[in-house]
Amino acid sequence: MVDFAPGRCRRAAAVLAASLCLSACAVGPNFVPPEDPPVGRYTKEPLQNPSAADKIRTRQGGSADQSFVSGADIPGQWWTLFHSKALNRLVEQALANNPTLEAAQASLRVAQQNVLAQKGTLYPSLTATPQIQGAQAPGLDLQSPLNNQNQYLYSLSTPQAVVSYNPDVFGGNRRQIESLEATTENQRFQLEAAYLSLTANVVAAAIQEASLRAQIDATRKVIQAQTEVLQLYNKQLSLGQIAGADVVQQQAALALSQQLLPPLEKALAQQRNLLTALAGRLPSDEVSETFDLAALRLPTRLPVSLPSRLVQQRPDVKAAEALVQQASATVGVAVANRLPQFSLTATGGSSATRIAQVTSPGAAFFTIIGQATAPIFDAGTLFRRQRAAEESLTVAQAQYKATVITAFQNVADALRALQADAKAVAAADAAVSATNQSLGLIRKQYTAGAITSSQVLIAQQGYLSALVTSAAARATQYADTAALFVALGGGWWNRADVAPPPPEKDPLKFL
């Protein structure tokens, strides 16, 4: 005789479920991380340190003062290498208040919760379904369930619980969990990318502000010099020493220089708005920090990670790798959907016409149902979905390769830019010094009557151009230095300022 006692049935169901889990396998491809590119350097020839042409050196942060340190690590707070307290404060404000970073953090938490939710499908679910039913028994020859056969109205109390379980025999649920975990990994590196992008934008905006201030200062100096020359010309005109055409020519030169100032001031105002927005503020609450090139110190020793480490450091490469794993797991899900699906359902409880009788042994009942479903004909729908998933995996793999190529290109571009910047800064600084000396000599010659006013104007324009070019060249060198740190990954792996997730608030989260 077979014993259908509830206790033994529950134990049998548990043993069956455990055996199914242990024998289960996850169909589909197993993800293998891509191999690192087999290269030993970023440029065609061995990397050379930035050096100035003709051994020209600058007075401030340029030329051969920079050097590449191969294999050195990047600090988590790389912007501190510029030694600007104002820049450090502004970056801290941006990290604390920027809503884009807050949104990226929330997106990561969404992905983490989705993983935990999907993991719940690996376990049985328990549902309580108590029921109280009022009924009327039929008449004629049918009997009432009550002792009094003349009483046809009765209540039936049925407290019961249903345990349902879908054994993950072919690993479809586990592949789905793997896919969601890969999505979480992608969101994690999307957060790191948002962190890096935010800090890079703040540094770039600060450097651009410093460049604009230098250009405005240079333009104002030239305007002041041209104003002084115009005053001198007016005095000489009143004495009959020069013609009126010389005065008009100088007025035109002054007006052209004055035209350069409003666009620069406009750009500076907009740059201030950008810095304020990056700090998470409205334009009316402008940040107090200001920047100029003299307050920024150019990093002299630039860490350059080994090429074999780049793919592990770049957030965009790691995010693309996670998408490959996600696509790989999706193939497994598609394969599992074409195979039989199993389910177990157990129901236990009691049923009695009186509440006091529901605990009696005679009122108890227990059922267990096993079910299997398998697709037989679906016009190729599931097969085509599997093929689509496989092609999506090919897409993700190709996009990963493209991301890696772009990463190496970014580093190579930054290295080449810094090599060119050294020469540009040194040459621009030498041009400022030479044109300034030339302008001084030409002014003396003009005062002595040895040359014409047109030669003075040409010298002034040369000096103006040299000042603006020098400021732009120095700012470009600062910006390209920051770009190198960003291209190498920004040192996120050395950060210790990641905000912890908010505490769980639901006391019934496991129910």
Side-chain angles (χ1 to χ4, degrees), residues 455-501:
Q455 292 175 290
V456 178
L457 294 177
I458 294 173
Q460 287 176 342
Q461 293 300 325
Y463 180 59
L464 168 62
S465 177
L467 284 174
V468 174
T469 301
S470 176
R474 284 194 289 144
T476 299
Q477 189 178 36
Y478 283 111
D480 287 338
T481 300
L484 176 63
F485 289 122
V486 174
L488 292 171
W492 57 267
W493 54 94
N494 289 324
R495 287 200 295 116
D497 58 347
V498 179

Side-chain angles (χ1 to χ4, degrees), residues 157-452:
S157 301
T158 309
Q160 62 180 349
V162 179
V163 179
S164 59
Y165 179 56
N166 297 321
D168 192 23
V169 177
F170 298 107
N173 284 343
R174 279 172 290 160
R175 289 301 189 192
Q176 186 65 38
I177 292 172
E178 180 186 355
S179 176
L180 291 173
E181 287 177 337
T183 301
T184 301
E185 193 73 356
N186 176 266
Q187 287 296 333
R188 175 195 167 199
F189 287 108
Q190 291 288 356
L191 173 58
E192 295 297 348
Y195 180 99
L196 179 57
S197 177
L198 177 60
T199 54
N201 286 337
V202 171
V203 173
I207 293 173
Q208 181 62 18
E209 178 184 327
S211 174
L212 289 170
R213 290 187 185 278
Q215 294 178 57
I216 289 173
D217 181 63
T219 303
R220 286 174 176 169
K221 288 180 179 178
V222 171
I223 290 174
Q224 177 63 29
Q226 289 179 334
T227 302
E228 293 175 357
V229 171
L230 180 59
Q231 292 173 351
L232 176 61
Y233 281 9
N234 286 326
K235 183 181 296 185
Q236 291 177 335
L237 178 62
S238 63
L239 297 175
Q241 296 177 348
I242 61 175
D246 294 333
V247 176
V248 173
Q249 191 176 19
Q250 179 63 20
Q251 288 174 337
L254 176 60
L256 289 174
S257 298
Q258 290 173 333
Q259 271 188 327
L260 299 175
L261 198 56
L264 292 173
E265 292 174 336
K266 169 188 171 182
L268 177 60
Q270 293 176 339
Q271 203 67 22
R272 297 293 299 166
N273 290 338
L274 174 59
L275 285 170
T276 302
L278 290 173
R281 298 183 182 184
L282 297 176
S284 58
D285 186 24
E286 184 179 295
V287 294
S288 59
E289 290 78 9
T290 58
F291 302 94
D292 56 72
L293 292 177
L296 296 173
R297 187 184 305 174
L298 186 71
T300 55
R301 293 176 58 82
L302 304 179
V304 179
S305 304
L306 297 176
S308 59
R309 289 287 304 160
L310 183 64
V311 293
Q312 303 300 324
Q313 295 178 178
R314 288 271 299 214
D316 55 343
V317 174
K318 297 299 293 181
E321 179 182 329
L323 291 179
V324 175
Q325 184 174 7
Q326 180 190 29
S328 173
T330 302
V331 173
V333 174
V335 174
N337 288 338
R338 300 182 62 195
L339 300 174
Q341 308 295 317
F342 302 90
S343 66
L344 294 173
T345 303
T347 304
S350 61
S351 182
T353 57
R354 296 179 182 178
I355 296 295
Q357 295 176 343
V358 297
T359 58
S360 63
F365 65 88
F366 182 86
T367 61
I368 182 170
I369 300 173
Q371 182 177 353
T373 60
I376 297 177
F377 176 75
D378 62 358
T381 299
L382 295 178
F383 170 72
R384 295 303 173 187
R385 288 176 179 171
Q386 177 184 335
R387 290 301 305 272
E390 292 169 349
E391 294 300 333
S392 295
L393 176 58
T394 303
V395 171
Q397 291 170 336
Q399 290 175 340
Y400 172 81
K401 294 177 183 178
T403 304
V404 171
I405 292 174
T406 300
F408 276 80
Q409 178 190 355
N410 293 157
V411 177
D413 287 347
L415 295 174
R416 296 294 194 189
L418 287 170
Q419 290 172 337
D421 291 342
K423 299 177 181 180
V425 169
D429 189 74
V432 170
S433 178
T435 55
N436 186 34
Q437 293 178 3
S438 175
L439 179 59
L441 293 174
I442 288 176
R443 282 177 176 172
K444 291 180 180 179
Q445 291 176 346
Y446 178 77
T447 303
I451 60 175
T452 64

Side-chain angles (χ1 to χ4, degrees), residues 47-121:
L47 187 62
Q48 300 293 328
N49 288 329
S51 61
D54 302 326
K55 298 182 180 180
I56 301 174
R57 300 184 63 84
T58 65
R59 294 191 301 271
Q60 177 180 344
S63 187
D65 294 339
Q66 286 187 310
S67 61
F68 298 131
V69 184
S70 180
D73 202 5
I74 302 172
Q77 297 178 327
W78 55 269
W79 56 89
T80 59
L81 298 179
F82 289 92
H83 297 282
S84 170
K85 294 182 179 179
L87 180 59
N88 296 343
R89 287 195 304 268
L90 191 59
V91 171
E92 291 176 1
Q93 293 178 41
L95 294 177
N97 302 320
N98 190 276
T100 302
L101 193 60
E102 182 181 356
Q105 292 169 341
S107 296
L108 174 59
R109 294 194 293 269
V110 169
Q112 291 170 338
Q113 294 300 319
N114 286 334
V115 171
L116 295 176
Q118 186 65 28
K119 285 183 176 180
T121 62

